[in-house]
Amino acid sequence: MAKYKEAMNRVKVSKEMQSRVLQNVEQHFGKKRRKKKLMMWIPTIGVVAAAILLVILLKSGKTGRELSSTENSTGTNVTTEDPGDLAAGAYSVNEHKTVQELSDAVGFKVKELTSFSQSMKGTAIQDISGKIAEINYSGNLGTICYRMTKGTADNSGIYDVYNTTKTVKVKGCNVTLNGDTGKFTLITWTDGTYAYSLYCIPGITEETALKLAEDTLQ
């Protein structure tokens, strides 16, 4: 705690802010959590660095995940970071009636998912700042947010820690599956030119995930 107070003295914040940070640090390390929603590297940097990070988060008024993503009106997580140098908090969501309209808005042909059963319907077709193509589906598999972007960076905006992570080759491309208890919530892959992601609630099987990824790799 002495090292923490020394570090805090170097950070110019009000007494009220310091009090809030101390309280949050005590709560954070006083409780056992199964999952840590902040960045995966936080547990390795020690108490001092974590406390300094909490100061930054408190000054911004957001949690670690909120700094990276927010939620739109459909409940789907929307990135506020890269790809395409999207500044945190500076983005726009634009609705479209067809996938062709979406393709025109983002400047590339959006590949559709064709392996869904008939009970899965598209509920929203939209672009995020003209850079991220996003189609939301709902039906017998729950809800699925599908994204496609130029480049190879992860475009999901999801930074959760999962119990199970595995990588499977599909048509020569690595498909990464993340999830718990036999079902996968976050699936990401790239063909070297475009990046893709699926965010699925409550989760889908590996077989379904790989079929959907293959739809984009034809």
Side-chain angles (χ1 to χ4, degrees), residues 127-179:
D127 76 81
I128 302 170
S129 295
K131 299 180 183 296
I132 298 176
E134 178 178 290
I135 304 175
N136 292 282
Y137 299 88
S138 65
N140 66 324
L141 296 179
T143 62
I144 295 179
C145 174
Y146 163 57
R147 286 181 175 179
M148 178 179 177
T149 52
K150 288 182 179 178
T152 59
D154 182 350
N155 60 27
S156 68
I158 305 298
Y159 300 96
D160 292 346
V161 178
Y162 294 95
N163 290 335
T164 301
T165 296
K166 63 185 297 184
T167 300
V168 180
K169 285 279 188 181
V170 176
K171 292 187 175 295
C173 298
N174 290 328
V175 178
T176 302
L177 303 98
N178 302 275

Side-chain angles (χ1 to χ4, degrees), residues 55-74:
V55 173
I56 297 172
L57 297 181
L58 286 171
K59 289 176 73 176
S60 71
K62 297 186 177 185
T63 66
R65 179 168 175 176
E66 288 171 337
L67 286 172
S68 299
S69 64
T70 184
E71 288 190 342
N72 64 17
S73 59
T74 64

